[in-house]
Amino acid sequence: MSIPPLFRCPISLDLFTDPVTLSTGQTYDRSSIEKWLADGNLTCPVTMQRLHDLSMVPNHTLRHLIDQWLLMDPQFDPDHIKNMDPDLSLATLKNNLQSQEASFTTKMETLRKIKDLSKESDTSRICLIQLGFFPLLLQLLFGSHHPETRLSAQGTEIAEEALNCLLNLSPSSQLGSLNMLKEPSSLASLLMLLDQGSMNIKISLWNMVEAISSSFETKDLCLLLGNNRTFLQLLVSLLHQSSDQCASDAAIRAIAGLSNLESNRGNVIREGGIDGLISYLSNPDRRHATKALTTIELLLGLESGKMALISNPNAVHVLVKMVFRVSDHEGCESVVNSLLIICYDSLRVRKKAINAGIVTQLLLLLQSQSSGRAKTKARLLLKLLRSMWSEDPSRCKLQHGLVDS
Ligand SMILES: *[C@@H]1O[C@H](CO)[C@@H](O)[C@H](O)[C@H]1NC(C)=O
Ligand SMILES: *[C@@H]1O[C@H](CO)[C@@H](O)[C@H](O)[C@H]1NC(C)=O
Ligand SMILES: *[C@@H]1O[C@H](CO)[C@@H](O)[C@H](O)[C@H]1NC(C)=O
């Protein structure tokens, strides 16, 4: 049974019994730090800062966490600590992450240890979060790059590992830390990683963007991202690539999240979001077809969204095919509604839709288990299209085997 190393005093390496935090923000066991000071040392042992202020605040959070952990683990034997790897103290890990001098190898080893800890148990995960590792990892990922223009191989490895740790921790309580991306230099690092990172990095980052878009705490950041053209262009270009399904799936979740904010929609459309969504849907068996369809429906709330969809040469064809390909009610409703909206606006679209076989699709839909709302929309759309059958009834009847009742 291993115990979370984060529960150990950086001086004694023993389990904290009375953790106190100094003015430097570092936490030590009261007896250890008192002895250190009594010996005439007037520095904070971890940061080496001179202590002008000798006050100590009991760290109740840490104390509470340790108590909880002791309760959860009645087998706990304090002697175990003595046998543990002394390098694995919280302070060392923190220092290695922050230090400018730590070598690449040290940083990688540190990140791997953090990753292992984050997977080890819920308790260790909670500890890492409580002890401030989340913002620290963000800082490593986005803050410490000197505006590099090209991502090095080592930079890639560090970023991948830091992202693994961050996603393992993925604390909903810490999403506010992501607001550090409002800093122009951090945002520049994010853009650089989204542009030059490996596929794994991109996928993790777009997942992070989805998380940003889902929290009220990071709403301003979400608006800021939605206003940045480079950012949106990187997102849209990923929707167009078809070689990596996981990557484009992550991009769909991100664009759906960003589009939930009304003020982002115009920008998403301007940067080609609609074309990207249609391009995503034109590959068969898309996992997030429904998300893509509901996002298109949202974007059609804007005139520019309708124009973009109508002028996409493949849109009508792709959407008509989706009527039956999406298996859930929500996606089905969205696609029928979107078709209704653009058919209503344009005669040319109605013709295209009929040529793409929409009438058959809608009639099948009316006989299926689809939701009442989808069927209502389907009937409205059929009614709208009927004016065109009467213009050329023979053709439609032949083509679709219809009896115009
Ligand atoms: C005080 O600091 C010195 C040098 O930093 C160190 O050698 C000594 O062990 C410290 N005293 C205690 C009690 O740790
Ligand atoms: C408690 O200790 C941890 C670990 O050093 C620290 O991150 C946290 O900020 C401390 N909490 C308070 C309230 O000082
Ligand atoms: C996007 O963000 C980057 C990095 O902060 C910045 O340099 C660029 O000017 C921004 N672009 C827009 C259009 O805001």
Side-chain angles (χ1 to χ4, degrees):
M1 171 65 208
S2 69
I3 63 147
L6 313 171
F7 286 157
R8 292 186 289 165
C9 167
I11 301 175
S12 66
L13 300 178
D14 274 345
L15 186 73
F16 281 115
T17 50
D18 184 6
V20 293
T21 304
L22 298 188
S23 56
T24 56
Q26 298 294 328
T27 303
Y28 304 97
D29 218 13
R30 188 185 293 276
S31 57
S32 310
I33 189 68
E34 278 179 348
K35 178 168 188 313
W36 168 270
L37 295 171
D39 282 0
N41 286 305
L42 284 177
T43 51
C44 169
V46 168
T47 64
M48 300 307 278
Q49 275 170 278
R50 223 184 141 66
L51 289 171
H52 300 292
D53 172 4
L54 294 184
S55 60
M56 302 173 193
V57 183
N59 193 322
H60 296 299
T61 313
L62 191 55
R63 180 66 253 164
H64 180 68
L65 279 170
I66 293 172
D67 286 345
Q68 276 195 329
W69 175 73
L70 289 174
L71 279 177
M72 272 163 39
D73 183 18
Q75 308 286 308
F76 175 69
D77 171 4
D79 285 338
H80 270 218
I81 316 165
K82 305 273 195 293
N83 308 326
M84 292 209 35
D85 173 7
D87 288 342
L88 249 187
S89 87
L90 157 71
T92 315
L93 292 181
K94 266 193 164 174
N95 262 358
N96 290 347
L97 281 192
Q98 283 170 314
S99 155
Q100 302 284 337
E101 282 93 56
S103 67
F104 168 73
T105 322
T106 309
K107 283 225 154 82
M108 281 306 286
E109 273 169 12
T110 306
L111 285 170
R112 280 192 206 108
K113 272 179 192 156
I114 295 173
K115 187 175 71 178
D116 290 346
L117 283 170
S118 68
K119 289 196 290 203
E120 183 187 86
S121 69
D122 278 350
T123 316
S124 332
R125 221 167 47 78
I126 293 169
C127 282
L128 285 166
I129 292 167
Q130 289 288 340
L131 303 185
F133 272 79
F134 194 76
L136 209 61
L137 289 161
L138 287 175
Q139 193 61 32
L140 179 72
L141 193 56
F142 302 118
S144 58
H145 296 261
H146 303 284
E148 281 177 52
T149 39
R150 292 227 67 81
L151 184 61
S152 63
Q154 293 194 340
T156 303
E157 277 189 61
I158 297 247
E160 278 193 8
E161 206 64 270
L163 274 163
N164 279 336
C165 296
L166 280 167
L167 293 176
N168 280 347
L169 295 179
S170 71
S172 49
S173 62
Q174 299 275 305
L175 281 177
S177 312
L178 290 165
N179 284 322
M180 61 103 62
L181 287 168
K182 287 187 198 164
E183 274 297 309
S185 64
S186 306
L187 181 55
S189 299
L190 171 68
L191 294 177
M192 191 270 286
L193 288 168
L194 284 173
D195 183 27
Q196 297 174 33
S198 61
M199 263 315 166
N200 284 338
I201 291 180
K202 290 182 186 174
I203 292 170
S204 305
L205 289 174
W206 289 118
N207 286 336
M208 196 181 270
V209 170
E210 187 198 14
I212 289 172
S213 69
S214 67
S215 163
F216 185 74
E217 241 184 314
T218 42
K219 186 173 169 208
D220 290 344
L221 173 59
C222 184
L223 287 173
L224 185 91
L225 294 174
N227 255 315
N228 192 297
R229 294 190 65 170
T230 319
F231 174 82
L232 292 177
Q233 283 161 0
L234 288 165
L235 176 55
V236 169
S237 71
L238 203 54
L239 293 178
H240 282 289
Q241 67 86 37
S242 52
S243 53
D244 190 316
Q245 165 116 6
C246 286
S248 42
D249 284 348
I252 282 290
R253 291 197 303 268
I255 199 171
L258 290 167
S259 305
N260 275 329
L261 272 187
E262 204 171 341
S263 341
N264 280 342
R265 290 180 200 159
N267 295 331
V268 167
I269 295 164
R270 193 165 324 119
E271 297 312 324
I274 294 257
D275 292 344
L277 289 160
I278 292 294
S279 169
Y280 173 85
L281 286 171
S282 60
N283 287 293
D285 304 324
R286 288 307 205 170
R287 254 188 306 234
H288 291 314
T290 295
K291 253 195 178 14
L293 291 169
T294 50
T295 305
I296 290 177
E297 190 188 9
L298 268 186
L299 297 178
L300 287 181
L302 291 183
E303 208 52 43
S304 59
K306 287 190 216 169
M307 308 265 282
L309 192 61
I310 290 172
S311 52
N312 180 302
N314 304 319
V316 174
H317 191 77
V318 168
L319 291 182
V320 168
K321 287 274 170 307
M322 289 314 298
V323 171
F324 255 91
R325 203 172 280 159
V326 278
S327 44
D328 60 303
H329 290 337
E330 201 190 358
C332 185
E333 274 169 36
S334 281
V335 68
V336 176
N337 194 34
S338 297
L339 282 165
L340 183 60
I341 291 170
I342 52 172
C343 280
Y344 193 82
D345 265 26
S346 155
L347 179 72
R348 197 169 49 84
V349 168
R350 269 174 262 165
K351 284 190 177 145
K352 255 188 167 175
I354 288 180
N355 285 335
I358 192 173
V359 175
T360 316
Q361 298 274 327
L362 292 175
L363 289 173
L364 284 171
L365 186 151
L366 287 177
Q367 286 158 35
S368 71
Q369 304 291 316
S370 303
S371 73
R373 281 175 53 199
K375 286 185 181 177
T376 306
K377 302 266 177 192
R379 281 195 201 94
L380 279 172
L381 186 46
L382 279 171
K383 211 177 260 177
L384 182 66
L385 295 170
R386 183 177 305 180
S387 58
M388 303 203 50
W389 310 341
S390 40
E391 282 167 24
D392 187 2
S394 57
R395 181 162 159 259
C396 284
K397 276 186 194 161
L398 272 179
Q399 204 169 333
H400 303 292
L402 266 186
V403 180
D404 190 0
S405 53

